[in-house]
Amino acid sequence: MTAATQATTSTAAAAPPAVTIRDLTIVYRTPAGELPAVSGVDLDLPPGTITGLVGESGSGKSTLALSLLGAVQRPGRIAAGSIHVDGLGNLVELSAKSLQEARGGEIGYVFQAAQNSLNPLKTVGKQLLDLGRSHGVRDRTALVRSAKELLAGMGLDAARVLDSYQHELSGGMRQRVGIMFALVLNAHVLVLDEPTTALDMISQANVLKIVRAVHTERGLTTLLVTHDIGVVAEVAERIAVMYGGVVVEQGETADVLRAPKHPYARALINAIPRVSGDLSAARPLPGRPPTLGTIPTRGCVFRERCAVYAERQLPACVAEQPPLAPVADGSGRLVACHAVAVEDQQATGETA
Ligand SMILES: Nc1ncnc2c1ncn2[C@@H]1O[C@H](COP(=O)(O)OP(=O)(O)OP(=O)(O)O)[C@@H](O)[C@H]1O
Ligand SMILES: [Mg+2]
């Protein structure tokens, strides 16, 4: 299907695509040489789900999200691995032209700080026509109709918004305009990078409700990047936790939040002060997250801040980064931790 026909056909027909990332490494060129921001990452976005990607600042979330758009740019490059999207193939092997078509076409995105990504000198409507032109959309009437439907569906006065400049829109409105741009060419994969960070609580709740609604209505496969676990708890059925360029735990949100297994996931989740609970119960994670040059190159990336390593000093934690592997409880949860693997082995040994 061409972009031109995509803009006029219903989204309901196509099944949501699965996204499968395997052993993905992304490096940035720095004065100290090429350093990995994403190291050997495996990540699955099952069709029709919202996956929340969380982790502290600098853990590699945006870098990973950009790779899904084929948009890792110099000084960054994909050094190894694959990103398979149903219907598109392995993005790492696509030509620049196919990637450009996919980006904003089959794969919609709302960037971190999308607030500021609109062009201040052009109305929203003008930018919509620019987007259509860059994707070879011939039927401008259908394109504008799709945009108006999306905007109205998000509770906006569509005609007014299309006539507006960025400065005439509130933060929450700009974010909804960003979502309209992401979906107007009928994307089936949606990547949102910190879509609500700059918003007040009420606008944040509204935007999340909208994300959930458009995701369900349009049958999307969605990756939602955020440092806010509360956001994930609210809208994402799956969660992936990143630390130092590595996905350390992945599973059903409810499961992981109830009983995180990786010591970092546990620390991150225990560090949240519950709104209704006791502030003193929140335990901040000591130490600082690593930056590009300080991610340990040998052994587990989390070792230096790990309470379990501090107590048990497993030699494996010093020797190699543990692979992301299924835990023994059969829940489908994946965890990259030597201590968890050892406990699983002991438990299985005892029951065998
Ligand atoms: N253009 C760049 N050149 C060099 N290093 C970069 C570049 N962009 C990102 N990095 C580094 O790569 C690492 C991962 O950055 P990234 O922006 O992906 O993290 P993040 O998890 O999205 O953080 P945040 O929560 O602050 O948005 C960081 O150490 C960052 O400093
Ligand atoms: Mg980021």
Side-chain angles (χ1 to χ4, degrees):
M1 204 190 297
T2 65
T5 55
Q6 274 180 2
T8 60
T9 48
S10 156
T11 46
V19 176
T20 313
I21 296 178
R22 285 292 172 269
D23 210 13
L24 186 70
T25 295
I26 305 170
V27 296
Y28 285 110
R29 178 171 292 286
T30 75
E34 281 193 326
L35 298 172
V38 168
S39 303
V41 158
D42 291 346
L43 179 67
D44 288 304
L45 311 184
T49 59
I50 299 184
T51 300
L53 179 63
V54 297
E56 283 165 295
S57 186
S59 56
K61 305 180 298 295
S62 293
T63 304
L64 183 56
L66 281 172
S67 73
L68 251 175
L69 312 169
V72 176
Q73 274 165 0
R74 262 184 276 175
R77 76 178 173 92
I78 293 179
S82 62
I83 305 166
H84 191 276
V85 180
D86 278 355
L88 289 176
N90 180 1
L91 299 191
V92 176
E93 287 169 357
L94 288 190
S95 68
K97 183 166 176 292
S98 307
L99 274 180
Q100 201 267 332
E101 276 171 19
R103 196 181 312 137
E106 181 61 16
I107 305 175
Y109 57 94
V110 180
F111 274 134
Q112 190 160 1
Q115 311 271 10
N116 311 319
S117 70
L118 289 168
N119 184 334
L121 302 176
K122 291 183 177 180
T123 62
V124 171
K126 179 80 181 56
Q127 290 174 71
L128 174 67
L129 296 181
D130 288 350
L131 175 75
R133 201 170 309 116
S134 71
H135 281 266
V137 174
R138 280 185 291 271
D139 189 344
R140 292 172 26 152
T141 314
L143 180 69
V144 172
R145 196 188 317 121
S146 296
K148 283 185 168 169
E149 275 170 21
L150 274 161
L151 292 169
M154 293 189 275
L156 295 176
D157 176 345
R160 213 195 106 205
V161 167
L162 289 179
D163 269 343
S164 299
Y165 290 89
Q166 174 192 293
H167 70 268
E168 296 171 308
L169 304 171
S170 71
M173 287 164 92
R174 285 182 211 169
Q175 219 51 353
R176 281 177 272 180
V177 168
I179 294 170
M180 178 277 286
F181 275 117
L183 297 176
V184 73
L185 295 178
N186 275 354
H188 290 106
V189 178
L190 176 62
V191 180
L192 301 145
D193 194 350
E194 304 276 7
T196 59
T197 304
L199 303 179
D200 61 75
M201 293 290 277
I202 305 278
S203 310
Q204 171 164 337
N206 282 337
V207 168
L208 288 180
K209 219 192 287 168
I210 284 164
V211 166
R212 185 75 237 175
V214 290
H215 166 85
T216 308
E217 269 163 31
R218 300 173 80 90
L220 305 176
T221 300
T222 299
L223 179 68
L224 171 68
V225 175
T226 175
H227 62 272
D228 185 343
I229 292 185
V231 167
V232 178
E234 210 154 307
V235 296
E237 43 280 83
R238 292 183 60 80
I239 185 170
V241 180
M242 257 188 118
Y243 184 86
V246 174
V247 169
V248 295
E249 182 154 353
Q250 205 184 131
E252 304 274 334
T253 305
D255 257 9
V256 174
L257 293 191
R258 189 175 354 97
K261 288 188 184 275
H262 191 282
Y264 175 64
R266 221 154 45 217
L268 197 64
I269 289 160
N270 286 338
I272 313 171
R274 321 262 159 196
V275 175
S276 54
D278 177 8
L279 252 189
S280 63
R283 275 159 287 154
L285 177 60
R288 286 197 189 192
T291 56
L292 217 50
T294 62
I295 299 174
T297 48
R298 227 180 115 238
C300 174
V301 287
F302 186 56
R303 189 179 72 240
E304 285 162 13
R305 296 171 83 191
C306 180
V308 177
Y309 177 72
E311 196 188 308
R312 297 179 49 189
Q313 310 265 327
L314 294 180
C317 305
V318 186
E320 60 170 355
Q321 170 60 33
L324 189 65
V327 291
D329 65 6
S331 65
R333 179 110 57 109
L334 301 169
V335 178
C337 175
H338 290 302
V340 170
V342 168
E343 276 161 27
D344 273 356
Q345 266 167 15
Q346 285 167 348
T348 333
E350 277 162 24
T351 53

